[in-house]
Amino acid sequence: MADRRQESGSDDGSVRVVKARGAGAGAHETARLALTVGALGVVFGDLGTSPLYTLQTVFNPDDPHPVPVSVRNVYGVVSLVFWSITIIVSVTYVLLAMRADNEGEGGIMALITLLRPGHGKRGPHTAVVLTGLGIFGASLFFGDSIITPAISVLSAVEGLKIVEPSLGDAVLPITAAIVVTLFLVQSRGTAAVGRVFGPVMVLWFTAIGGFGIAGIADHPEILKAISPSYALGFLFGHFGTAFFSLAAVVLAVTGAEALYADMGHFGRRSITRAWLFLVFPACILSYFGQGARIIADTDNISSPFFLLVPGWGRLPMVLLATAATVIASQAVITGAYSVASQAAGLGYLPRLRITHTSESTIGQIYVPLINWVLLASVLTLIFAFRTSTQLAFAYGTAVTGTITITTLLFFYAARTNWGTPLWLVTCGATALLSVDLLFVAANLTKLIHGAWLPLLIGLTAFTIMTTWQHGRRTVTAERAQREGSLREFVDHLHRKETPVLQVPGTAVFLNRDRHTTPLAMRANVEHNHVRHDQVVILSIQTEPVPRVQSGERVIIDDLGYTDDGIIHVTARYGYMETPDVPGALALLDPARTEGPLALDEATYFLSTIELRPGKAPTMRPWRKRLFVATSYITADAAEHFGLPRARTIIMGSNIDV
């Protein structure tokens, strides 16, 4: 997710490439091609590296429910893989989900905003339930973000054991070193590395497709597995075996959610082209080639991907696979940054410290807290599970959960937001959810073998986010009672019941909304008996859209008085944007502010709250402690809002929750 463009989105959800005046069709197509290649490097890293471990995991003899190696079973498994990719990736995501965008942005957090009250025909209770389901789906993504770097890099480095078996003991240290390096360079941004991501993945897909063709040439009959009869025959003819194999087959579609999440970065059209014309054919050729190689020699189940490559090419392939898995890991790491940033913007996490790592690419962000939590978690997984096949048992649960929730929310939105006929929604949802739920059920059979891990991570993230949202509402209600009405406070100033000295300068008070009085302003007037000539009460409003145009950024309210120098300003930002208070104030019309604001000399006031667990029955005691503990990770407000520290005054208060 590291390569978000700033072009505006077109009606079909794709990114509209803006041409310079006089530029021809050639430049337009070049820009389109650049977006498509960029999508290869960011969007398809996870999906494109799945051939490394999928069939190896299906036929893993150490699996609690192993699939016996036979020609019939190989045909059935390869057919299942082909149709799973077709149904889940091509149909669910490329054909359907990517049509559900929020101002061009995709992903489950964007889909949640479409399901809030006011969007479509639904009651508030239904919206709450659906939003909660979506938040759980987003929580599962954090589990995916931890497992993907571990299993991807580990599976690539394990190729060394095929090249030289004596290197087996070096796999874990090398994997750990690569992972640590990957996370250490995150703060530098991915702009420079991102330029080579696309070409590397083009080489990767070309290579796996070419070696797949070579494998198919040894046993062309494997192409019969394209027929769904082989998948259905294996599934229903050997249901006991096939059902358990689905927990490994689902590995072929890990990363499918990235197509939807990155739609706003590259556009639906560019992603679709890359998928249909390169990624899909290359992956399918690799799976069919591996299947043919297993039929030729059952010993190849130990590493069908690398054994598909001739001996002379295995070491270069290990190096290329390592580069590809690093790219796949980069995609989910920055994806975790984006999900955390969006969740904070929508009020499900506290304000996080976010660093923008590119001046030209708005989506390249770095979230230190998320980075170090991911690094510690990934290293723990690598040394706890030790092999990619063991990690594979834990992988599918998060993926299938997210896919199922996305499918459910999409069809609900299709019915309520866009008025899709009920019969069509029912048929489509029944067909696709049946497939999704079958995968979910199969992965739940792996609970004691590691599938509990992503569920635990997801439940933990879900608990933290919902607790923060609930506690935040409680604190907001308490603050509103303490702060009192803003209009009544301004009326009180005009009645001059309390002598207040008016001093030169501009004061900017940041506040939650336009209805209550900033605690810092109330303290200044009631205790210091002072106010500034120009007073701006500023509220930051996060809209359920990715970005807000600069012309719609600020809304001014004179609070009923046009000549007292006190105004309220609402600065509107999309959930993908980082607030910039001085930048928003610079957009104000001097005619509405009784002359230009002296922003270079303005004083900024922040009201901070220290939270303490109280006796009121607002939440269970353990959730109160969790809420208070979570508040400690809140980022510095002055830095978050872009305030000049030398001119920022912070005034605090205590609230019991």
Side-chain angles (χ1 to χ4, degrees):
M1 294 189 172
D3 197 13
R4 179 174 295 119
R5 301 293 199 256
Q6 294 190 69
E7 293 91 339
S8 56
S10 64
D11 292 339
D12 67 351
S14 63
V15 174
R16 182 168 61 248
V17 179
V18 182
K19 296 186 291 183
R21 184 172 298 176
H28 181 74
E29 287 304 315
T30 300
R32 288 280 187 199
L33 179 61
L35 281 178
T36 302
V37 174
L40 287 170
V42 176
V43 179
F44 297 105
D46 197 0
L47 258 173
T49 54
S50 294
L52 275 166
Y53 43 78
T54 299
L55 291 191
Q56 175 182 329
T57 304
V58 171
F59 293 106
N60 177 22
D62 296 328
D63 190 296
H65 306 94
V67 176
V69 181
S70 67
V71 174
R72 181 185 296 273
N73 286 349
V74 171
Y75 275 51
V77 167
V78 172
S79 187
L80 268 181
V81 168
F82 172 77
W83 285 104
S84 297
I85 295 174
T86 300
I87 293 172
I88 293 176
V89 183
S90 298
V91 177
T92 299
Y93 280 95
V94 175
L95 180 63
L96 297 177
M98 289 176 65
R99 296 180 180 274
D101 69 286
N102 185 13
E103 300 291 328
E105 290 288 341
I108 197 164
M109 292 301 293
L111 187 57
I112 287 170
T113 63
L114 297 177
L115 299 170
R116 287 187 159 194
H119 289 269
K121 302 174 182 178
R122 66 180 66 84
H125 296 296
T126 303
V128 168
V129 172
L130 292 170
T131 299
L133 194 60
I135 291 298
F136 183 64
S139 302
L140 289 175
F141 180 79
F142 287 111
D144 187 19
S145 301
I146 293 172
I147 299 176
T148 293
I151 190 174
S152 298
V153 178
L154 191 55
S155 63
V157 178
E158 282 174 343
L160 289 174
K161 293 189 292 186
I162 304 300
V163 177
E164 179 53 62
S166 62
L167 295 175
D169 292 338
V171 169
L172 287 180
I174 292 174
T175 301
I178 293 173
V179 167
V180 170
T181 303
L182 175 64
F183 281 95
L184 286 178
V185 301
Q186 292 301 311
S187 60
R188 299 179 180 272
T190 57
V193 181
R195 283 193 289 269
V196 302
F197 278 5
V200 168
M201 293 308 292
V202 170
L203 179 60
W204 168 258
F205 288 120
T206 302
I208 67 172
F211 289 126
I213 292 174
I216 293 171
D218 293 337
H219 189 81
E221 291 82 1
I222 191 67
L223 293 175
K224 293 179 181 178
I226 293 176
S227 170
S229 62
Y230 286 91
L232 295 174
F234 177 62
L235 187 60
F236 295 108
H238 306 80
F239 186 77
T241 300
F243 174 73
F244 291 112
S245 75
L246 291 177
V249 170
V250 75
L251 298 176
V253 298
T254 56
E257 65 279 1
L259 276 73
Y260 187 27
D262 285 307
M263 183 173 66
H265 309 178
F266 299 98
R268 179 166 62 90
R269 192 170 299 173
S270 297
I271 292 175
T272 301
R273 286 176 177 176
W275 170 250
L276 293 178
F277 295 113
L278 182 58
V279 181
F280 182 55
C283 290
I284 294 304
L285 288 172
S286 180
Y287 285 121
F288 276 74
Q290 291 180 55
R293 188 53 54 92
I294 292 173
I295 290 174
D297 185 351
T298 57
D299 288 340
N300 288 325
I301 63 171
S302 61
S303 185
F305 178 85
F306 286 108
L307 291 174
L308 190 62
V309 181
W312 57 265
R314 286 173 187 165
L315 181 57
M317 198 63 183
V318 169
L319 298 177
L320 181 58
T322 302
T325 54
V326 167
I327 292 170
S329 302
Q330 179 67 63
V332 295
I333 291 169
T334 49
Y337 297 160
S338 295
V339 170
S341 174
Q342 293 176 34
L346 293 173
Y348 292 101
L349 284 176
R351 184 175 60 247
L352 299 173
R353 181 181 167 225
I354 297 173
T355 302
H356 287 265
T357 58
S358 172
E359 295 182 1
S360 59
T361 308
I362 191 172
Q364 290 188 12
I365 61 174
Y366 169 66
V367 186
L369 175 68
I370 301 299
N371 188 71
W372 303 126
V373 169
L374 288 181
L375 173 58
S377 302
V378 171
L379 289 176
T380 300
L381 287 190
I382 290 172
F383 288 104
F385 285 83
R386 305 187 69 82
T387 68
S388 60
T389 51
Q390 292 297 317
L391 264 172
F393 297 148
Y395 200 13
T397 310
V399 175
T400 55
T402 303
I403 290 172
T404 303
I405 291 171
T406 299
T407 304
L408 179 63
L409 297 185
F410 167 79
F411 278 107
Y412 195 91
R415 174 60 183 163
T416 58
N417 286 45
W418 311 311
T420 305
L422 181 60
W423 68 268
L424 185 57
V425 169
T426 302
C427 292
T430 300
L432 295 182
L433 285 174
S434 296
V435 174
D436 295 345
L437 291 173
L438 193 60
F439 278 112
V440 170
N443 276 275
L444 290 178
T445 65
K446 306 292 186 181
L447 274 177
I448 62 174
H449 302 289
W452 56 268
L453 179 63
L455 286 180
L456 178 62
I457 296 171
L459 286 171
T460 301
F462 178 78
T463 302
I464 291 173
M465 287 197 282
T466 53
T467 297
W468 181 260
Q469 186 203 35
H470 181 69
R472 184 169 169 267
R473 284 202 303 262
T474 302
V475 170
T476 298
E478 175 64 23
R479 284 190 64 171
Q481 185 175 0
R482 290 192 185 187
E483 292 167 344
S485 168
L486 176 59
R487 288 189 178 272
E488 290 180 4
F489 184 77
V490 173
D491 290 341
H492 172 76
L493 286 179
H494 273 266
R495 289 196 297 268
K496 298 183 178 179
E497 297 174 355
T498 302
V500 177
L501 177 65
Q502 193 161 321
V503 297
T506 299
V508 180
F509 294 89
L510 270 70
N511 200 36
R512 297 174 299 105
D513 55 43
R514 63 187 182 88
H515 303 295
T516 60
T517 308
L519 290 175
M521 182 178 179
R522 182 178 288 277
N524 242 3
V525 171
E526 294 181 352
H527 299 290
N528 299 329
H529 308 297
V530 170
R531 58 150 289 193
H532 290 71
D533 285 337
Q534 289 182 308
V535 175
V536 178
I537 302 166
L538 180 72
S539 300
I540 304 296
Q541 182 172 313
T542 303
E543 301 291 346
V545 295
R547 285 173 285 277
V548 173
Q549 299 298 321
S550 59
E552 303 173 354
R553 178 76 69 201
V554 294
I555 301 173
I556 301 176
D557 183 356
D558 59 17
L559 302 174
Y561 299 93
T562 59
D563 59 351
D564 67 343
I566 302 176
I567 61 171
H568 182 276
V569 175
T570 300
R572 303 168 65 243
Y573 288 90
Y575 60 84
M576 301 294 289
E577 298 179 290
T578 299
D580 176 10
V581 169
L585 295 176
L587 298 173
L588 294 175
D589 182 359
R592 299 287 306 278
T593 60
E594 301 179 32
L597 300 175
L599 296 180
D600 292 338
E601 301 176 358
T603 302
Y604 296 86
F605 291 85
L606 289 172
S607 304
T608 63
I609 299 295
E610 182 179 342
L611 303 175
R612 300 178 302 191
K615 297 181 178 180
T618 54
M619 290 185 287
R620 292 182 181 274
W622 68 268
R623 295 195 77 178
K624 288 184 178 183
R625 291 191 292 271
L626 176 61
F627 176 66
V628 172
T630 305
S631 70
Y632 292 133
I633 68 173
T634 303
D636 180 77
E639 180 181 351
H640 180 77
F641 294 118
L643 306 182
R645 285 191 174 276
R647 292 183 281 115
T648 300
I649 297 175
I650 301 175
M651 305 180 73
S653 180
N654 297 321
I655 286 184
D656 293 337
V657 295

